Structure formats: structure tokens, C-alpha cells
Amino acid sequence: MLKKLLLSFTIFLFSSYAVSSERLAIVTSDWATAETLSMLGVTPIAITQLRGYQIWTGNETPLGDAIDIGLKPMPNLELVADYNPTFIFGDNSILLQHISEMAPTSNISLYPFKENPWESIINFTFDIAEQLDLLQEAERVTAQASQKIAILREKIEDKETPVLIAQFRDDRHAWVYGENSLLQAVIDELGLTNAWDQPTSDIGISLVSIDQLARSGGHLFIIESPAFQATIRNRLENSGIWRVLISQREGKITYLPAKYWPIGALPSALRFADSLTTALTNSDGGS
């Protein structure tokens, strides 16, 4: 009898959670927040530059019927008001002041990291969950994330060879991810070493020339960003300079599909971890 009562209570509890989550009408101007909300079971009704996020991530994050409300600095406020939001997340305090009459607002941002990168990502998940009374869900998804990372870590046999993660800005320059980046957080959690130890920006990137990139050590992983897929790949393939540079590299080069936002949150971190692990454990992943 007691077991039945406990089961009934559990079903009631999760049913109540599902209903309350569905009633939340969240607007956000931050992609890291948007994907964190989705992970917590709440699909935002409106997101700035949504199309750009979908292109970057290959629609990997389920965002349902969310609408695009324009540019991050200047969203379509009339459209936002039409959807009667119950909560607005953003990282632009001036903009939030102007729209605070529509709904409660939260000025929240993951970057720059305030603590250890991985801890910052986990704490960011809980910060959002706390404001929406979703702490139980945050406990569940972060525990699952830790489990997944542990499984991926065990799959990687070679943890000695440093990795170097780069994303081309154009055919002459690239961003390299290092300290303070989301990707560094994943590299650390997987028990790997980042070959890049130079100073980085607040979001963990360094801008380098292609000759600097080619001279850098480690197993080079190039993120196939939307821009890379559209134009940069062809330029590099037709570049005699790039062909000479990469022929002189001692380390391997592997291309990673961009199914994550490199300055995103926990969902992007997990997809990057999965992609990097797959490439590392794939015997013919190099080129």
C-alpha cells in the first residue's frame, strides 16, 4: 500500500512539473540560456537570431515552435509583447530595463567564467533552474551529464597526445580555443591536454594566422563552422600556402562537424565532447 502511495505521489509530482513547465513562456536573447532551458524541459517561445543558432548546431537542440525575434542588440519588442512572456532572460542590462514592464527579467550570462570552467557551466544550469523552480530537473540533467562525460573519458585510449581546437575566421586566420573556453572545460573533463597555452579572450579564444596554426603542436581539430563549409574550405583547398603549411605539420589534422555552439552551455559541451571522443576513437579520423 505504501509503495502504491509513493508511486502515485511521484506520478503526481512529475505531472505537475510537466504542466508548470509547459506554461512557462520564456524569451531569451542568449543562445547559452536558450539551450540550457531546453535541456531543463522548457522550450523558449522566442529567441534572438534563432536561425543563426539552428545553422550552427544543425538543429540538434529541440526548440519546438520558438520564433526568431531579430538581432540580439535590437530584438522586435512588439513581437515579444504579443507573446505575453512570463520571464525574460538576457545579458544586456540596458535592454532588460526597457522591457522589464513586460515580465520579470534576469540579467544572466555564462561568460566570462567565474569559476573553474566546468563548474561554471554546471552552476549556470542551476542558476537558471533556480529562477524557474526547476532545481530537481537541474539535478537530473547535470548528473546525466557527469555520467556521459565519465563514459566518454573511458573510451579515449590516447590521453597523452595534446589536442588543438581551431575554427577558421577566414582563409588566413583562425580562432584557437584555450583557457576560459567551453571547449577547454570539455578537454579537461575528458582527461586530455590542450596544446594551446597562450593568452585568450574572455570567451577563451586566440586569433592566430594560418602559419601560426600550422606550426602549433598537437593533434589539430578544425571545427567545420557554417562559414568554413560555405566558403573557407574551398579557399583553403586552393591555397598553395595552406597546402605547404599543413604538409610540414607533424601532428594529425581532423575535421569536426559543428553541431554545437562553441560559446554555449552544457548541451553544447556534451555534443562537443561526443564529437571529439568519436574523432579520437575513430582509427581513420585523421587526414
Side-chain angles (χ1 to χ4, degrees):
M1 183 64 178
L2 179 58
K3 287 184 178 179
K4 289 183 178 179
L5 286 173
L6 288 173
L7 179 60
S8 298
F9 176 75
T10 302
I11 293 172
F12 169 76
L13 180 65
F14 280 93
S15 298
S16 299
Y17 160 73
V19 171
S20 63
S21 296
E22 289 171 1
R23 289 175 180 170
L24 292 171
I26 310 295
V27 172
T28 180
S29 61
D30 177 62
W31 290 356
T33 299
E35 65 180 22
T36 301
L37 286 166
S38 177
M39 191 178 214
L40 292 170
V42 180
T43 301
I45 60 168
I47 306 168
T48 55
Q49 295 174 260
L50 173 60
R51 180 59 182 153
Y53 178 79
Q54 291 171 326
I55 291 173
W56 250 104
T57 60
N59 286 315
E60 289 288 323
T61 300
L63 292 174
D65 297 326
I67 62 166
D68 193 320
I69 50 172
L71 298 176
K72 182 173 181 176
M74 298 180 294
N76 186 328
L77 299 184
E78 292 183 3
L79 189 57
V80 172
D82 287 344
Y83 279 81
N84 299 314
T86 57
F87 210 96
I88 302 172
F89 284 99
D91 57 0
N92 184 329
S93 57
I94 296 176
L95 176 62
L96 288 177
Q97 287 176 6
H98 287 296
I99 61 179
S100 59
E101 293 183 359
M102 293 185 192
T105 62
S106 177
N107 185 10
I108 190 168
S109 178
L110 177 56
Y111 300 91
F113 292 138
K114 299 176 181 64
E115 302 100 6
N116 163 282
W118 188 257
E119 288 179 8
S120 294
I121 295 165
I122 298 299
N123 290 339
F124 180 73
T125 306
F126 275 97
D127 287 344
I128 292 175
E130 185 176 15
Q131 296 185 62
L132 301 176
D133 196 23
L134 296 173
L135 288 176
Q136 187 177 41
E137 191 64 6
E139 291 278 3
R140 184 183 69 81
V141 299
T142 54
Q144 289 178 340
S146 296
Q147 269 188 324
K148 180 172 183 178
I149 289 292
I151 292 170
L152 294 176
R153 189 189 305 124
E154 289 300 313
K155 288 183 178 181
I156 301 172
E157 295 182 2
D158 178 14
K159 293 187 175 69
E160 300 301 319
T161 304
V163 298
L164 184 70
I165 315 296
Q167 172 195 330
F168 279 98
R169 179 176 178 269
D170 53 41
D171 58 339
R172 293 299 179 95
H173 303 88
W175 287 296
V176 177
Y177 290 86
E179 187 180 8
N180 303 319
S181 71
L182 178 86
L183 308 193
Q184 178 70 62
V186 173
I187 290 169
D188 291 342
E189 290 301 302
L190 292 177
L192 300 168
T193 301
N194 193 340
W196 190 254
D197 60 1
Q198 300 303 304
T200 62
S201 68
D202 283 349
I203 58 174
I205 59 175
S206 303
L207 180 62
V208 303
S209 62
I210 60 171
D211 58 316
Q212 287 176 284
L213 181 63
R215 289 198 307 267
S216 300
H219 184 164
L220 173 59
F221 291 88
I222 296 174
I223 298 174
E224 296 182 299
S225 68
F228 180 86
Q229 293 172 333
T231 59
I232 297 174
R233 186 203 303 269
N234 289 335
R235 293 178 188 172
L236 286 172
E237 288 176 350
N238 294 320
S239 168
I241 296 174
W242 177 243
R243 287 200 299 272
V244 169
L245 289 173
I246 61 174
S247 69
Q248 297 171 348
R249 283 197 93 250
E250 294 182 4
K252 290 199 300 183
I253 299 178
T254 299
Y255 293 85
L256 294 177
K259 294 184 179 180
Y260 38 82
W261 176 230
I263 47 176
L266 189 56
S268 283
L270 292 175
R271 285 199 295 276
F272 171 69
D274 193 45
S275 180
L276 182 59
T277 302
T278 298
L280 284 168
T281 55
N282 188 344
S283 59
D284 59 353
S287 61

